[in-house]
């Protein structure tokens, strides 16, 4: 077993499933299954074509060629040559129709099988009674053309599967594990949670984990899309599939197998491939109706020509078979799933992971995008810019007290304070107890036995600590766009820390793109209004929701929805999870958190707000392809059935033999598949 296997699972060889594209669509997102499916479709097509050619040549449609084999020998040879075409190559349709009917379901396999068997069985009957005409070529050509169309569909879906395989290939097959003080090389699939792994420069990281020893640069470009290597030190997270660039280090495995980031990405894409868009559910219902219409058209056509027009039996049978064949709504069934497969695959290659087809379609309807400030509009890497203390206060002493509490929190602002103390080489008190996190307010605890507060003014005021002595300094910081953090000990405010967070270089451009698409951007922040409005003005956002506590974020999103807006929420933190869940479309940006990613319908692997606009453009392009395909498939079926049924034969002499109907039906499916594939060239 290899590391590749540990992420993809075991894929034993299986025969192509029955039931046409509905049967195999759900399997195409699996990379190994995609290869198997394409190989099987290709093999069946070439076998069918090999036997169909001589059957067609003996049918007598080409002058001179039909006389090479005299009747009735030609009919018997056609019967023999048609057997592998109908009963092996075409079994995926015949077998699929059996299973569909057993489940009281009408799908394309039922209609294809009906057309094939009608042509083939009537031909066998005509051969047995010694009649000089048969329709073996129609049955064989129908199987061959439909197989070709499905082969093209499978190839169109391979793009996503190839993207998944590229992800799996990021995982090395072997890993160096430290056990009992010795280094062993084992298959990645055998690494378990808690194992210590040794990484050398240039090694691919086999699983997710935490760095325990040493510091290094890590290239996460192929996983997260971040172009520059990032510094990683003890305690930092390591993502499986990334590349250890500079130093030999030791890490502890925390997530293996299906729990790794790469495996979860693959699962998201597979789920998206297997899901149905709202338009697809509509198309499925329409297709089921069209199956009934097609079979009914075949029966009515036969009765109309045989009874009403008193036409010869063979004439009625020919028109009937043509009507059944050409009415097959195969193109209608392919219209949306092929576009969804290509769209989600294109998104995955652009580091945009869309969880299901409904989300892919829903992104095109977004009217308002709510963006969290920290980590979305800004870099999410805050740093201390200024410290203001009460008259006679000690700047380093205030920072030391703040850092003692900040060290107990993973909040970005807390990490900035801890980093500032470390950078100034300040001795931080070690005695910290009774620490309590106050979401949306800050953190409190006892530092060296004294009650200490670290947070916004509401935290201090709620504890009965006044901030009037620091109000002027705090207001000045806020006016400069700094996040304001107060420090208090006992009943006295000691100082206020101003923290800056650089705006992402792509934020302003992303906001402009949203506005061009007619989408309203809204900034959502827990910061003071002055700070939030300064950031909003810098990137071009006109509407600001500031001083919003975490538990209020979902309500603010709901309020926008009550205004009649179709809302997307973009965030990266645990505090954003309720708002992500409340929004019509939740978008987790960057590495985010497990909670945020779980609550979101779209995951942007890069920390780039421009990907929000890209995701929306991708959705609009995909929906456009869906509409084009559905329109073509619907118009084709409406126009083609009367022609095939012979409605225009008495007046205009228009008619279609069954084999020509099969060609046109398959051509319609191929047009739909190729139109969906053209989505890959879309500029998003």
């Amino acid at each position: 077993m290899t590391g590749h296997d540990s992420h993809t699972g075991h894929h034993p060889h299986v025969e192509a499933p029955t039931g046409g594209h509905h049967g195999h669509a759900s399997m195409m997102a699996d990379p190994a299954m995609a290869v198997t499916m394409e190989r099987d479709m290709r093999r069946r097509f070439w076998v069918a074509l090999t036997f169909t050619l001589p059957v067609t040549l003996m049918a007598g449609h080409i002058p001179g060629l039909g006389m090479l084999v005299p009747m009735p020998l030609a009919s018997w040879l056609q019967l023999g040559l048609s057997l592998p075409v109908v009963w092996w190559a075409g079994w995926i349709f015949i077998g699929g129709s059996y299973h569909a009917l057993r489940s009281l379901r009408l799908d394309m396999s039922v209609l294809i099988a009906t057309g094939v068997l009608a042509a083939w069985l009537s031909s066998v009957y005509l051969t047995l009674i010694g009649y000089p005409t048969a329709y073996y070529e129609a049955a064989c050509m129908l199987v061959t053309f439909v197989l070709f169309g499905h082969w093209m569909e499978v190839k169109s879906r391979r793009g996503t599967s190839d993207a998944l395989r590229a992800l799996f290939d990021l995982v090395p097959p072997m890993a160096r594990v430290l056990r009992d003080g010795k280094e062993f090389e084992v298959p990645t699939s055998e690494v378990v949670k808690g194992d210590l792994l040794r990484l050398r420069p240039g090694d691919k990281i086999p699983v997710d984990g935490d760095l325990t020893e040493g510091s290094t640069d890590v290239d996460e470009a192929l996983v997260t899309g971040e172009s520059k290597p990032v510094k990683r030190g003890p305690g930092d997270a390591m993502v499986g599939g990334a590349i250890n660039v500079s130093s030999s280090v030791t890490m502890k495995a925390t997530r293996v197998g299906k729990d790794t980031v790469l495996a979860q990405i693959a699962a998201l894409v597979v789920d998206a491939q297997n899901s149905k868009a709202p338009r697809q559910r509509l198309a499925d219902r329409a297709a089921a109706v069209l199956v009934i219409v097609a079979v009914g058209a075949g029966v009515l056509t036969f009765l109309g020509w045989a009874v009403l027009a008193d036409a010869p039996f063979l004439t009625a049978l020919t028109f009937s078979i043509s009507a059944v064949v050409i009415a097959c709504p195969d193109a209608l069934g392919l219209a949306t799933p092929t576009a969804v497969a290509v769209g989600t695959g294109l998104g995955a290659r652009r580091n945009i992971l869309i969880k299901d087809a409904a989300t892919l379609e829903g992104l095109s309807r977004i009217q308002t995008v709510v963006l969290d400030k920290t980590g979305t509009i800004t870099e999410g890497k805050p740093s201390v810019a200024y410290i203001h203390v009460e008259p006679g206060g000690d700047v380093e002493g205030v920072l030391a007290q703040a850092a003692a509490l900040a060290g107990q929190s993973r909040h970005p602002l807390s990490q900035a304070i801890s980093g500032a103390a470390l950078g100034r080489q300040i001795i931080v008190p070690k005695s910290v107890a009774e620490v309590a996190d106050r979401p949306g307010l800050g953190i409190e605890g006892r530092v060296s036995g004294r009650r200490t507060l670290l947070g916004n003014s509401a935290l201090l005021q709620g504890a009965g600590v006044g901030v009037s002595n620091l109000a002027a300094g705090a207001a000045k910081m806020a006016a400069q766009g700094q996040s304001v953090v107060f420090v208090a000990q006992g009943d006295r405010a000691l100082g206020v820390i101003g923290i800056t967070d650089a705006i992402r270089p792509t934020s302003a451009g992303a906001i402009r793109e949203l506005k061009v698409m007619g989408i309203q951007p809204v900034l959502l922040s827990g910061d003071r209004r002055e700070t939030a409005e300064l950031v909003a003005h810098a990137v071009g956002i006109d509407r600001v929701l500031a001083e919003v506590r975490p538990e209020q974020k979902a309500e603010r999103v709901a309020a926008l929805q009550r205004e009649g807006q179709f809302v997307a929420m973009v965030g990266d933190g645990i505090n954003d999870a309720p708002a992500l869940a409340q929004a019509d479309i939740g978008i987790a940006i960057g590495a985010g958190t497990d909670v945020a990613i779980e609550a979101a319908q779209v995951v942007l692997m890069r920390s780039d707000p421009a990907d929000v606009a890209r995701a929306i453009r991708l959705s609009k392009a995909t929906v456009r392809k869906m509409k084009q395909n559905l329109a073509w498939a619907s118009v084709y079926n409406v126009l083609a059935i009367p022609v095939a049924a012979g409605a225009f034969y008495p007046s205009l002499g228009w008619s279609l033999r069954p084999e020509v109907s099969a060609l046109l039906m398959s051509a319609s499916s191929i047009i739909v598949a190729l139109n969906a594939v053209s989505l890959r060239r879309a500029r998003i």
Side-chain angles (χ1 to χ4, degrees), residues 77 158 201 212 274 376 408 431 631:
L77 285 175
R158 276 287 304 278
T212 58
N274 292 343
T376 302
Q408 309 300 310
S431 178

Side-chain angles (χ1 to χ4, degrees), residues 159-160 163-164 166-167 221-226 265 269 342-354 588-590 602-619 621-622 677-684:
T160 300
L164 287 177
L167 281 176
L222 295 176
V223 181
T224 67
E226 296 292 342
I265 291 172
V269 178
V342 176
T344 53
L346 180 60
R349 288 192 292 274
R350 300 290 194 275
N351 299 107
I352 301 169
L353 306 179
I354 300 169
I589 188 170
V602 180
V603 179
L604 307 179
M605 296 302 296
R606 299 187 300 181
S607 298
D608 187 353
D611 282 346
V612 177
R614 291 190 185 99
I616 296 172
R617 286 200 300 271
L618 172 63
S619 172
T622 304
V677 171
S678 69
L679 180 62
R680 294 176 182 171
R681 298 193 298 270
R683 298 183 65 180
I684 65 168

Side-chain angles (χ1 to χ4, degrees), residues 201-566:
D203 283 352
K204 288 183 178 179
I205 301 171
V207 297
D208 297 351
D210 294 329
L211 199 60
T212 58
E213 183 182 331
S215 298
T216 189
D217 295 316
V218 178
D219 183 357
E220 298 179 346
L222 295 176
V223 181
T224 67
E226 296 292 342
S227 58
K228 296 181 180 179
V230 292
K231 294 282 187 184
R232 292 287 184 260
D236 289 336
M238 305 283 275
V239 181
I243 300 173
N244 177 40
V245 176
S246 57
S247 306
S248 293
V249 293
T250 302
M251 62 170 284
K252 182 179 182 180
T254 57
R255 293 191 289 190
V256 301
K258 63 180 177 46
D259 296 326
T260 63
V261 170
L262 282 181
Q264 291 175 11
I265 291 172
L268 287 178
V269 178
V270 170
D271 288 344
Q273 296 289 291
N274 292 343
S275 64
K276 288 186 177 182
R279 280 183 173 83
Q280 175 60 26
R281 289 190 283 271
L282 177 63
D284 287 346
R285 290 194 294 269
V289 173
L290 278 174
V291 171
I292 299 174
V293 170
V295 174
V299 173
L300 291 175
T301 298
F302 181 84
L303 294 175
W305 281 100
V307 179
L308 299 180
D310 197 25
F313 172 80
L314 284 179
T315 301
L317 183 62
T318 300
F319 281 127
S320 176
I321 294 173
S322 295
V324 172
V325 170
I326 207 166
C328 176
D330 204 43
L332 187 63
L334 292 174
T336 60
T338 308
V340 168
V342 176
T344 53
L346 180 60
R349 288 192 292 274
R350 300 290 194 275
N351 299 107
I352 301 169
L353 306 179
I354 300 169
K355 289 188 175 183
D356 53 53
T359 298
L360 178 61
E361 188 172 333
L363 281 165
S364 66
R365 299 166 51 204
I366 289 174
Q367 299 167 296
T368 296
V369 174
V370 180
L371 302 109
D372 180 56
K373 181 179 76 69
T374 304
T376 302
I377 296 297
T378 65
E379 293 279 4
K381 301 175 182 177
S383 60
V384 173
Y386 188 74
I387 302 174
H388 175 75
V389 299
E390 64 176 349
D394 177 16
V395 171
E396 291 192 352
V398 170
L399 182 57
Q401 299 299 314
L405 271 184
Q408 309 300 310
S409 171
R410 298 292 295 175
H411 193 281
L413 299 185
S414 295
Q415 292 180 341
I417 293 171
S418 297
L422 181 64
R424 299 188 186 193
Q425 298 182 335
I426 293 174
I427 299 175
V428 178
K430 301 294 184 183
S431 178
V432 183
E434 300 177 22
V435 177
D437 187 44
R438 303 295 185 222
L441 298 173
I443 186 172
E444 65 177 279
R446 303 192 74 82
V447 178
S448 302
R450 301 184 64 187
R451 185 185 73 162
T452 304
L453 304 173
L454 180 68
N456 56 26
S457 59
L459 175 67
L460 272 67
Q461 291 167 357
V465 180
V467 297
S468 58
N469 59 326
L470 302 172
K476 184 178 180 180
M477 293 176 183
Q480 296 174 350
Q482 299 174 16
S483 296
V484 176
V485 180
F486 290 90
V487 185
Q489 199 161 56
D491 58 358
R492 191 172 91 256
L494 302 179
V496 60
I497 302 173
I499 299 175
T500 59
D501 189 4
I503 295 173
R504 295 187 187 277
T506 58
S507 291
I511 299 304
R512 282 196 302 272
E513 289 189 57
L514 291 175
K515 287 184 173 181
V516 168
M517 288 189 282
I519 297 171
Q520 173 189 224
V522 177
L523 184 68
L524 182 66
S525 175
D527 264 337
R528 294 163 63 110
R529 177 161 293 280
E530 299 97 313
T531 302
E533 287 182 345
L534 195 67
V535 172
H537 178 74
V539 298
I541 296 178
D542 302 318
R543 188 170 183 179
V544 178
L545 303 176
E547 300 177 15
V548 181
R549 296 175 63 171
E551 65 271 19
Q552 298 173 328
K553 288 186 176 182
E555 172 53 34
R556 296 300 178 92
V557 171
L560 291 169
Q561 292 171 318
R562 288 194 294 270
E563 293 176 11
Q565 298 293 301
F566 194 84

